[in-house]
Amino acid sequence: MRRVLTMALIGAWGCDGGDPGDPDEQVGYRDGVEEGETNSGERGNVKISEVMWSGSVTNDGKWDVTDIFIELRNEGSRPMNVSGWRIELSGTADTEWQIPKSDVEIGVGEHRFMAAKDSGCFPNPDWVISDLAIPYGDPFKLTVLDRDERLMEPAGDREQPPFAGGYDLAKSRSMEKIELMFGGRGSSPASWHYYTPSEVDVPNNDKVSPDCQLRTLASPGRPNSSDYSGAYASGSLE
């Protein structure tokens, strides 16, 4: 009887290889194949890899606390279009921003960044979000959510001061994620360090305006500086 029932089910699906369709419980997935379609993500495949929360400083010493950026890194196995994804900020302030629609893709292992403006020390961001703002020196947690509300890995902690970076009245340094293949949770202070330029490394600050590179230490849209020695500091550098 069981064999007859099994054969009946196969016959109902058809012997021509017809697709019985997706089960109702299956989670949808935006693969970005269709023209104009954005991607949905898998937890951990797109991470916040750098945050310039303390503003920029020009070579002549002008500090602009509103000139900030957030960088994303694609640790997945395929390019990602993150149009329509959301960045949530929580801590002393609670707000969210939507990444503008564009044809920009984050390639595998690639870094892209969004900035509050393109008229400051970061003139060529991949996305401009005009109301992007992080309260200076206050606790913050940033979380990325894809188009289908899937949570990516967070950065920071809503109850702790910024994990690294800051403005010391002369220079401003970004908060960089240690780029490890495994581990390094974004919610852990030990996963972050402040930007540390090196004369032996390939320069990674070319997306910082030449008018700011002496005092604005960051690597927007580029691999992070290779200081894995635990050079992280809680709070600002004042």
Side-chain angles (χ1 to χ4, degrees):
M1 180 65 181
R2 181 177 300 172
R3 181 177 297 176
V4 173
L5 179 58
T6 301
M7 294 301 295
L9 288 172
I10 293 174
W13 288 347
C15 297
D16 59 354
D19 186 353
D22 296 330
D24 293 339
E25 295 82 3
Q26 182 170 323
V27 177
Y29 197 85
R30 301 175 192 267
D31 58 12
V33 173
E34 295 183 12
E35 185 176 354
E37 183 187 40
T38 60
N39 297 111
S40 59
E42 297 172 345
R43 187 174 178 85
N45 70 348
V46 175
K47 296 183 178 180
I48 295 173
S49 53
E50 185 173 5
V51 183
M52 175 54 92
W53 56 268
S54 55
S56 65
V57 186
T58 60
N59 293 345
D60 58 5
K62 183 179 179 181
W63 177 43
D64 183 357
V65 71
T66 69
D67 194 16
I68 67 170
F69 70 77
I70 298 172
E71 180 190 77
L72 302 178
R73 180 172 186 251
N74 181 5
E75 298 187 1
S77 59
R78 60 195 178 89
M80 300 293 291
N81 184 321
V82 298
S83 297
W85 289 30
R86 291 189 293 115
I87 308 290
E88 289 186 346
L89 170 72
S90 59
T92 56
D94 295 286
T95 189
E96 66 177 45
W97 308 279
Q98 187 173 73
I99 298 176
K101 184 177 180 179
S102 74
D103 58 359
V104 172
E105 286 191 332
I106 312 178
V108 175
E110 192 174 34
H111 302 70
R112 298 277 189 171
F113 75 103
M114 62 201 75
K117 53 188 173 183
D118 57 8
S119 57
C121 289
F122 316 112
N124 297 301
D126 298 290
W127 308 278
V128 174
I129 301 177
S130 59
D131 58 344
L132 189 68
I134 299 174
Y136 176 80
D138 290 344
F140 69 81
K141 177 182 177 182
L142 295 166
T143 304
V144 183
L145 296 93
D146 73 4
R147 285 286 302 275
D148 298 304
E149 302 298 316
R150 293 182 178 89
L151 295 172
M152 303 293 113
E153 185 182 82
D157 189 295
R158 63 172 59 93
E159 297 181 352
Q160 296 187 50
F163 291 156
Y167 172 57
D168 63 1
L169 304 183
K171 297 179 180 180
S172 184
R173 294 176 172 85
S174 68
M175 169 175 140
E176 282 191 329
K177 181 86 178 291
I178 296 173
E179 294 191 355
L180 300 176
M181 183 176 295
F182 302 105
R185 297 180 61 183
S187 56
S188 170
S191 298
W192 299 86
H193 61 80
Y194 50 81
Y195 177 86
T196 51
S198 171
E199 295 180 358
V200 299
D201 290 341
V202 175
N204 61 352
N205 64 343
D206 58 306
K207 292 195 174 184
V208 177
S209 168
D211 295 330
C212 307
Q213 290 179 0
L214 295 179
R215 295 177 182 264
T216 300
L217 307 183
S219 59
R222 295 290 185 250
N224 293 343
S225 56
S226 56
D227 184 357
Y228 298 156
S229 63
Y232 64 91
S234 180
S236 71
L237 296 175
E238 292 184 28

